[in-house]
């Protein structure tokens, strides 16, 4: 057994060691910062040694988390020269030992995350999952699972055998599961329907599936039980050691002591007071994280802060890669980080003070988990931002009623005669319902079930779903204008000036679009083709045809924006 120093992971290991076959799925519930993600390699190694799987796929909901986990955990553990200062906490010895036991080196580990060539000169991208260990976004995983190889979405013929074979011979570690259903909308229904199909097929094919989360509420838990027909086993941090039905409660005294050592103060701040309250804490020498729902609110706050550019950082999804990299380089020394929810999971930062819009409780817990993340006997201050809408009324009333909330502990406890509330109780205040979509579920099952499926059927299903299985279609945007992109000499000239975002923003920024472009990389050189494509799907299809003709890889397939529409450091706002 691998000694991880985390009792929950060690108890889980003991359970797997005693199995003769995989006849259930597993759910790991532990607070943010506990070490669930770094326990992934240990779980993979154990399944490998037991003969339950031969490969490993670590699935994450956001591209930014894929980059962080791949670079700062897997590649660092395998000896790659990574800037440790930009990584936060580094992988423990057990993580590295597990990779060693599986006989892995740097060439055996790959990543897959949509369009981006974000990991410059390090590692390899493997869209077909043809590697022993792959760190992947959920979107890419869903396409490959449902017989739509991510490199062939817009091609007539689908070669799905390799990625499917890799998936069904792997341990699947689905990380940050709570982020799959943060909001009640049609797109969340698609993701939930996919998760249901994945659970069913894991059990039918004895493919090891582990779901990992910090914030699982009862409705979500019950849905997993139902999808698995009662064959789901939950491992959860608690203040007792006991097994109750399908749940194994584990007391980790070392983590409990650490969590209780932090003194929490939770406050409520009005929208118009956020900037002054942030500056008040900066004046006390504290490092502050502010997470806003909307990019416009994050940018407005960033502008209001009376700090130099080196003292404050802005991070959101509509920054080009160059600005994003510059922002991350400043974080260690910055006094304030202002961001959108793109930073709320996976990123291993530590702050003194946290602010978050009072709109989504799982997100609140994630953001507040970045406060006093690695320090004992720390004074943590967090604020709920009360906006003009009625969202968040329940959580604000809860905070008013219960003065002491430990945002790191899942359970309630008594300290010095005073009851301290844990975040599990907070989660149930206004938990998001788990809505499935029967039509989408039927389509996903039709794609996943047959032994073989003609490409024309797959293409018809893609057409019905507008070529986007789980969420709004993503596309690329180049921000420095047509002249500069035409002068690009290599891949990085292109990607440093690009960002990937939903197609939806074209409606708002239609006047900023200069032209549509496809860029192919072949033998270290870039081939730039301007395309007259009336629709996004036609643009992607034409770019796929060009890549096939030139026998190269797609670097960019999207829209070039007029240079004056983008503000350096602020983004497309």
């Amino acid at each position: 057994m691998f000694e991880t120093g985390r009792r929950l992971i060690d108890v889980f290991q003991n359970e797997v060691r005693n199995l003769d076959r995989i006849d259930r799925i597993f759910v790991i519930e532990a607070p943010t910062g506990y070490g669930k993600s770094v326990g992934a390699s240990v779980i993979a190694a154990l399944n490998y040694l037991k003969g339950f799987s031969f490969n490993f796929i670590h699935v994450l909901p956001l591209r930014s988390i894929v980059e962080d986990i791949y670079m700062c955990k897997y590649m660092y553990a395998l000896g790659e020269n990574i800037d440790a200062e930009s990584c936060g906490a580094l992988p423990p010895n057990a993580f590295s030992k597990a990779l060693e036991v599986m006989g892995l080196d740097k060439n055996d580990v790959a990543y897959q995350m949509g369009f981006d060539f974000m990991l410059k000169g390090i590692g390899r991208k493997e869209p077909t999952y043809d590697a022993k260990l792959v760190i992947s976004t959920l979107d890419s995983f869903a396409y490959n699972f449902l017989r739509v190889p991510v490199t062939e979405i817009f091609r007539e013929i689908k070669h799905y055998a390799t990625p499917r074979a890799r998936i069904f011979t792997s341990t699947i570690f689905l990380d940050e599961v709570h982020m799959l259903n943060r909001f009640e909308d049609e797109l969340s229904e698609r993701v939930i329907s996919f998760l249901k199909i994945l659970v069913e097929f894991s059990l039918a094919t004895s493919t090891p599936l582990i779901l990992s989360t910090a914030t699982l509420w009862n409705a979500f838990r019950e849905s997993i039980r139902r999808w698995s027909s009662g064959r789901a086993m939950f491992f959860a941090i608690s203040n007792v050691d006991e097994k109750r039905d399908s749940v194994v409660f584990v007391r980790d005294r070392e983590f409990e002591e650490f969590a209780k050592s932090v003194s929490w103060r939770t406050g409520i701040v009005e929208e118009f007071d956020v900037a002054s309250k942030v500056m008040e804490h900066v004046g006390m020498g504290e490092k502050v994280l502010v997470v806003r729902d909307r990019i416009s609110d994050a940018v407005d706050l960033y502008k209001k802060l009376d700090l130099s550019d080196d003292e404050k950082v802005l991070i959101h999804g509509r920054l080009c890669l160059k600005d994003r990299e510059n922002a991350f380089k400043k974080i260690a020394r910055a006094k304030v980080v202002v961001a959108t929810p793109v930073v709320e999971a996976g990123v291993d930062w530590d702050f003194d003070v946290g602010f978050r819009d009072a709109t989504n409780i799982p997100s609140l817990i994630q953001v507040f988990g970045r406060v006093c993340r690695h320090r004992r006997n720390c004074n943590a201050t967090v604020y709920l931002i009360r906006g003009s809408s009625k969202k968040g009324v329940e959580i604000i009333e809860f905070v008013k009623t219960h003065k002491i909330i430990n945002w790191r502990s899942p359970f309630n406890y008594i300290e010095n005669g005073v009851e301290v509330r844990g975040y599990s109780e907070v989660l149930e205040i206004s938990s998001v319902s788990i809505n499935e979509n029967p039509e989408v579920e039927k389509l996903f099952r039709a794609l996943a079930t047959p032994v073989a499926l003609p490409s024309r059927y797959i293409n018809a299903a893609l057409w019905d779903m507008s070529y986007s299985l789980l969420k709004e279609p993503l596309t690329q945007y180049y921000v420095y204008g047509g002249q500069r992109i035409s002068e690009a000499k290599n891949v990085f000239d292109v990607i440093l000036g690009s960002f990937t975002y939903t197609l939806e923003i074209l409606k708002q920024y239609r006047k900023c679009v200069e032209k549509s472009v496809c860029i192919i990389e072949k033998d270290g050189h870039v081939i730039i083709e301007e395309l007259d494509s009336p629709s996004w799907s036609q643009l992607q299809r034409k770019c796929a045809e060009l890549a096939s003709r030139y026998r190269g890889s797609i670097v960019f397939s999207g829209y070039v924006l007029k240079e004056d529409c983008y503000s350096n450091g602020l983004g497309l706002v």
Side-chain angles (χ1 to χ4, degrees):
M1 190 175 81
F2 303 93
E3 294 296 334
T4 66
R6 292 302 188 199
R7 190 162 179 269
L8 180 69
I9 304 299
D10 293 342
V11 169
F12 176 80
Q13 287 187 77
N14 279 329
E15 181 69 26
V16 174
R17 285 177 63 198
N18 293 327
L19 293 178
D20 295 321
R21 60 191 178 92
I22 295 294
D23 59 357
R24 67 201 74 177
I25 67 164
F26 301 98
V27 183
I28 297 176
E29 300 180 48
T32 179
Y34 184 81
K36 300 180 297 298
S37 295
V38 296
S41 70
V42 168
I43 294 167
L46 190 59
N47 281 330
Y48 174 81
L49 293 173
K50 291 282 292 185
F52 296 150
S53 64
F54 302 99
N55 311 303
F56 180 53
I57 303 175
H58 192 159
V59 184
L60 295 141
L62 299 175
R63 285 174 292 124
S64 59
I65 313 177
V66 169
E67 181 180 6
D68 181 70
I69 294 288
Y70 178 76
M71 300 279 278
C72 296
K73 301 299 186 289
Y74 288 100
M75 296 307 285
Y76 184 91
L78 291 169
E80 186 64 64
N81 185 21
I82 304 293
D83 179 13
E85 184 178 339
S86 65
C87 284
L90 297 171
N93 290 335
F95 186 92
S96 303
K97 182 66 176 176
L99 299 180
E100 181 184 325
V101 165
M102 287 189 285
L104 301 180
D105 61 30
K106 289 184 288 186
N107 296 322
D108 295 316
V109 182
Y111 69 92
Q112 168 53 32
M113 50 180 183
F115 294 106
D116 296 328
F117 284 71
M118 295 173 69
L119 311 180
K120 298 183 296 184
I122 296 177
R124 67 183 174 108
K125 188 174 185 177
E126 188 49 71
T128 63
Y129 290 178
D130 195 14
K132 292 181 180 178
L133 193 155
V134 178
I135 301 93
S136 173
T137 56
L138 177 67
D139 276 348
S140 291
F141 180 78
Y143 277 105
N144 280 337
F145 180 86
L146 295 171
R147 287 190 165 90
V148 186
V150 291
T151 56
E152 299 177 348
I153 295 173
F154 296 95
R155 294 180 181 175
E156 291 300 319
I157 304 300
K158 304 289 191 281
H159 301 88
Y160 54 75
T162 295
R164 292 266 296 183
R166 286 292 187 183
I167 287 171
F168 288 113
T169 56
S170 294
T171 290
I172 310 300
F173 191 90
L174 188 53
D175 215 343
E176 310 286 4
V177 170
H178 54 275
M179 296 189 71
L180 306 187
N181 193 71
R182 293 185 299 159
F183 303 102
E184 295 178 274
D185 56 26
E186 179 185 356
L187 299 177
S188 286
E189 289 179 5
R190 288 190 184 187
V191 177
I192 291 301
S193 296
F194 173 72
L195 181 58
K196 179 179 181 179
I197 300 300
L198 178 61
V199 167
E200 292 176 358
F201 273 76
S202 166
L203 292 168
T205 60
S206 296
T207 302
L209 174 64
I210 296 94
L211 311 180
S212 173
T213 178
T215 49
L216 202 63
W217 53 98
N218 281 331
F220 208 157
R221 202 174 287 112
E222 289 306 314
S223 292
I224 293 171
R225 285 193 177 100
R226 177 166 48 81
W227 300 336
S228 65
S229 300
R231 290 192 287 162
M233 194 166 187
F234 298 79
F235 293 78
I237 284 290
S238 180
N239 56 352
V240 294
D241 281 313
E242 66 175 347
K243 185 174 181 180
R244 192 184 311 153
D245 298 324
S246 60
V247 183
V248 178
F249 293 101
V250 178
R251 186 173 191 179
D252 187 329
R253 293 181 182 274
E254 182 179 348
F255 182 82
E256 184 178 329
E257 179 186 342
F258 166 73
K260 289 181 178 180
S261 76
V262 178
S263 298
W264 291 89
R265 184 171 73 87
T266 304
I268 299 163
V269 62
E270 303 297 334
E271 174 85 35
F272 55 81
D273 279 335
V274 174
S276 60
K277 184 62 71 173
V278 169
M279 291 305 298
E280 178 183 321
H281 284 283
V282 169
M284 294 187 286
E286 295 175 313
K287 191 176 180 76
V288 181
L289 171 64
V290 186
V291 176
R292 305 304 311 268
D293 281 331
R294 299 187 302 181
I295 291 176
S296 58
D297 289 337
V299 173
D300 287 345
L301 175 62
Y302 178 83
K303 291 178 177 178
K304 289 177 182 177
L305 298 177
D306 187 19
L307 297 168
S308 71
D309 287 344
D310 289 333
E311 294 176 314
K312 58 183 179 180
V313 173
L314 175 67
I315 299 173
H316 60 75
R318 297 209 297 260
L319 288 172
C320 70
L321 181 57
K322 179 181 178 181
D323 285 344
R324 182 174 175 271
E325 286 188 342
N326 289 338
F328 273 82
K329 288 176 182 176
K330 295 194 301 180
I331 287 172
R333 295 179 296 276
K335 296 178 179 179
V336 181
V337 175
V338 182
T340 56
V342 296
V343 303
E344 73 178 34
V347 183
D348 201 6
W349 298 335
D350 195 348
F351 295 85
D352 302 302
V353 184
F355 291 75
R356 179 69 173 94
D357 287 303
T359 52
N360 184 275
I361 291 174
S363 178
L364 277 169
I365 295 167
Q366 287 294 318
V367 172
F368 294 168
R370 271 75 195 152
V371 178
C372 290
R373 187 174 178 86
H374 299 300
R375 291 170 289 163
R376 292 178 178 271
N377 304 312
C378 178
N379 294 318
T381 304
V382 295
Y383 292 95
L384 284 68
I385 302 172
R386 177 160 48 192
S388 57
S389 72
K390 293 183 179 179
K391 286 186 177 180
V393 172
E394 299 96 334
I395 180 60
I396 287 173
E397 288 304 313
F398 185 89
V399 168
K400 286 180 177 179
T401 304
H402 306 286
K403 297 298 182 183
I404 304 179
I405 303 171
N406 188 329
W407 297 95
R408 190 65 47 74
S409 171
F411 49 83
N412 299 347
Y413 59 92
I414 303 295
E415 188 171 75
N416 298 325
V418 178
E419 184 171 26
V420 179
R421 301 285 174 164
Y423 66 75
S424 291
E425 185 175 352
V426 179
L427 271 172
E428 301 303 328
I429 295 172
S430 58
S431 58
V432 179
S433 60
I434 307 300
N435 298 318
E436 301 159 32
N437 187 317
E439 290 302 313
V440 171
E441 183 182 319
K442 181 179 178 181
L443 187 148
F444 285 172
R445 192 173 281 110
L447 287 172
T449 302
V451 174
L453 196 64
S455 293
R456 67 180 183 275
Y457 292 161
I458 302 172
N459 292 330
L462 280 171
W463 177 266
D464 286 343
M465 301 195 77
S466 301
Y467 291 92
S468 185
L469 296 179
L470 298 188
K471 60 184 182 183
E472 281 287 340
L474 296 175
T475 195
Q476 289 167 288
Y477 300 88
Y478 181 83
V479 303
Y480 295 136
Q483 181 62 36
R484 282 184 62 175
I485 202 168
S486 67
E487 298 169 352
K489 302 299 182 185
N490 56 51
V491 167
F492 302 121
D493 288 344
V494 178
I495 65 167
L496 287 173
S498 306
F499 67 87
T500 302
Y501 207 76
T502 62
L503 188 64
E504 184 69 20
I505 65 169
L506 273 183
K507 296 177 182 177
Q508 181 181 354
Y509 294 100
R510 175 62 66 181
K511 292 181 179 179
C512 287
V513 176
E514 191 171 329
K515 56 186 175 181
S516 306
V517 168
C518 174
I519 302 178
I520 308 299
E521 186 270 338
K522 180 176 173 61
D523 300 329
H525 301 285
V526 291
I527 303 165
I528 304 173
E529 296 269 358
E530 185 173 339
L531 301 176
D532 181 18
S533 301
S535 72
W536 173 79
S537 60
Q538 288 178 334
L539 170 63
Q540 306 308 319
R541 189 184 300 277
K542 287 183 178 181
C543 199
E545 291 170 356
L546 285 172
S548 179
R549 183 195 309 167
Y550 289 117
R551 298 180 182 273
S553 302
I554 298 174
V555 174
F556 183 92
S557 178
Y559 302 93
V560 177
L561 305 179
K562 297 174 183 177
E563 194 167 3
D564 58 2
C565 286
Y566 185 86
S567 299
N568 291 330
L570 297 180
L572 182 68
V573 295

